[in-house]
Amino acid sequence: MEEGKKVLYSAAQPTNTLTIGNYIGAIGNWVKLQDEYNCFFAIANMHALTVRQVPAELRRRTLSLLALYIACGVDPEKCVLYLQSHVSAHAELCWVLNNYTYVGEMERMTQFKDKSAKHADNINMGLMDYPVLMAADILLYNSDYIPVGLDQRQHVEIARDIAQRFNNAYSPTFTVPEGIYLKVGAKINDLLDPTKKMSKSAENPNGVIFLDDDKDTIIRKFKRAVTDSDASIKYDPENKAGVSNLLTIYSVFSGKSIKEAESEFAGRGYGEFKLAVGEAVADKLAPIQAEQARLLADKAYLDGVLKSGAERAGRVADKTLAKVYRKIGFYQI
Ligand code: AQP
């Protein structure tokens, strides 16, 4: 950890293959921030448990996600990369913070409502408690900034509330974190329903570009993307959700601004535009996929990254937890 640098925290769940939404809203952005901040990036397997997982798949996806982080350019020498369940302080602080969080607040969370509707046969306590565990994740590291997609904004806000509530009840303990949201790409939408967030557990995979999709699949999915009948390639999320979503994706993957992309495609047809978006995405993902496969063949290296990450994260987290235990009156020997 470098003195004087602010702390940045983020995570992704090993719940399915990640999507370009996760790449744009999270991992790709982390890479740009890793030099400026002391970064902690977790694989949130405890969060993943809130919906049913197949154990062998969860194990496999954990390493796959770690390899993906590194393949995307997150550097384990610069950042602390670790598995959430390797640092027991997450569960312990979550339990403490549960007592400073109200049931009504959790019932109002959009993600809880959405996931309860989607998994009506399994509305478990973990699903409801997800934001408190996320608050524990963030607060353990005295994080200043949380770069996440817009879908997580409500959870960052509740983490701030919980931190302030605890600080007021005792004395300043936690840094009150701030969310960082991208100007372009904070919410990538589904290709077939461009008013809805692109999600890795979407029912119809044709609206979702997974980071392990091959070029043909990517092009096919973009060809089918829903647009409109207006035939103009302009950024207007209110009235042209599909085209605006495609422009956003193109802008991130080509490195051009939205304005530049609009001029490039002025007067051209949707078919040509969709093909160009698909090609830009496929060209960027191919080397990431190759590097991920190379890393996955070196399990000893990946285990080493996790081991060192758990030690580095654990040191910081345990210190914060000890402080909390002292303040709330847990007897220590
Ligand atoms: N569509 C998106 N656009 C921009 N950012 C997104 N993120 C997710 N989807 C988009 C951001 O990715 C980070 C990690 O997400 P996560 O693994 O915690 O999963 P999630 O937010 O629950 O995303 P999914 O894809 O919808 O997963 P499932 O289907 O498993 O619930 C977060 O920073 C998130 O904001």
Side-chain angles (χ1 to χ4, degrees):
M1 296 288 99
E2 271 185 60
E3 288 282 322
K5 278 190 177 176
K6 297 270 189 191
V7 177
L8 192 122
Y9 184 93
S10 205
Q13 304 180 74
T15 38
N16 201 347
T17 305
L18 266 63
T19 73
I20 54 167
N22 300 122
Y23 177 79
I24 297 173
I27 305 172
N29 192 27
W30 301 351
V31 176
K32 295 184 201 136
L33 299 165
Q34 64 184 344
D35 288 318
E36 204 181 326
Y37 299 98
N38 283 328
C39 296
F40 291 85
F41 296 126
I43 297 170
N45 60 341
M46 291 166 67
H47 282 280
L49 214 58
T50 57
V51 300
R52 289 283 175 262
Q53 303 295 329
V54 177
E57 277 292 286
L58 183 59
R59 234 182 327 265
R60 185 184 64 75
R61 286 198 178 119
T62 297
L63 273 198
S64 172
L65 185 52
L66 176 67
L68 181 73
Y69 283 180
I70 302 171
C72 287
V74 180
D75 183 348
E77 298 295 320
K78 289 183 191 159
C79 311
V80 179
L81 300 187
Y82 73 101
L83 184 60
Q84 190 182 25
S85 64
H86 285 169
V87 180
S88 60
H90 288 259
E92 293 183 66
L93 183 61
C94 177
W95 178 252
V96 173
L97 298 181
N98 275 330
N99 303 286
Y100 301 85
T101 311
Y102 299 101
V103 171
E105 290 175 309
M106 296 298 98
E107 282 171 337
R108 280 196 294 277
M109 293 288 118
T110 310
Q111 179 180 287
F112 173 64
K113 289 194 264 186
D114 289 351
K115 291 210 169 170
S116 298
K118 209 162 155 190
H119 306 279
D121 56 339
N122 182 26
I123 307 174
N124 60 62
M125 285 304 297
L127 195 60
M128 193 183 205
D129 209 24
Y130 183 113
V132 185
L133 179 58
M134 180 162 155
D137 301 341
I138 294 169
L139 300 180
L140 276 174
Y141 300 95
N142 291 311
S143 314
D144 296 286
Y145 298 113
I146 318 299
V148 280
L150 276 178
D151 60 316
Q152 293 296 334
R153 176 174 239 155
Q154 217 181 14
H155 293 165
V156 174
E157 291 305 314
I158 203 79
R160 288 170 57 86
D161 291 347
I162 295 171
Q164 274 158 344
R165 202 171 286 160
F166 191 96
N167 288 350
N168 291 338
Y170 299 94
S171 56
T173 307
F174 297 123
T175 303
V176 180
E178 268 176 58
I180 312 188
Y181 309 98
L182 288 168
K183 285 200 182 71
V184 175
K187 184 172 175 247
I188 298 300
N189 290 330
D190 191 277
L191 301 185
L192 297 178
D193 181 357
T195 57
K196 215 178 69 190
K197 179 185 99 152
M198 185 182 283
S199 179
K200 54 174 126 72
S201 53
E203 264 160 45
N204 187 346
N206 289 320
V208 180
I209 305 289
F210 294 101
L211 295 181
D212 63 357
D213 280 346
D214 61 26
K215 187 164 186 169
D216 288 350
T217 310
I218 293 173
I219 305 271
R220 177 175 52 75
K221 287 181 178 175
F222 275 110
K223 272 189 184 160
R224 288 200 205 161
V226 167
T227 45
D228 50 53
S229 54
D230 168 56
S232 66
I233 299 170
K234 291 222 176 69
Y235 187 77
D236 177 359
E238 287 276 299
N239 303 305
K240 293 171 69 67
V243 170
S244 304
N245 192 40
L246 293 177
L247 274 170
T248 304
I249 295 169
Y250 183 74
S251 158
V252 173
F253 280 91
S254 67
K256 295 172 187 166
S257 69
I258 300 264
K259 279 266 153 284
E260 284 167 337
E262 280 178 335
S263 335
E264 184 179 346
F265 294 104
R268 289 160 74 183
Y270 282 169
E272 210 182 323
F273 171 51
K274 287 179 184 177
L275 185 64
V277 183
E279 278 179 344
V281 172
D283 290 349
K284 179 95 181 195
L285 292 188
I288 293 177
Q289 292 166 348
E291 178 63 2
Q292 186 189 18
R294 190 190 68 77
L295 287 163
L296 275 172
D298 192 351
K299 188 168 170 296
Y301 167 71
L302 295 176
D303 283 352
V305 170
L306 286 182
K307 190 160 181 285
S308 139
E311 280 163 11
R312 290 158 75 198
R315 263 198 300 278
V316 180
D318 288 347
K319 208 166 140 198
T320 306
L321 188 68
K323 187 157 95 176
V324 168
Y325 279 178
R326 201 170 60 240
K327 294 211 182 185
I328 59 176
F330 279 6
Y331 182 73
Q332 284 166 314
I333 44 171

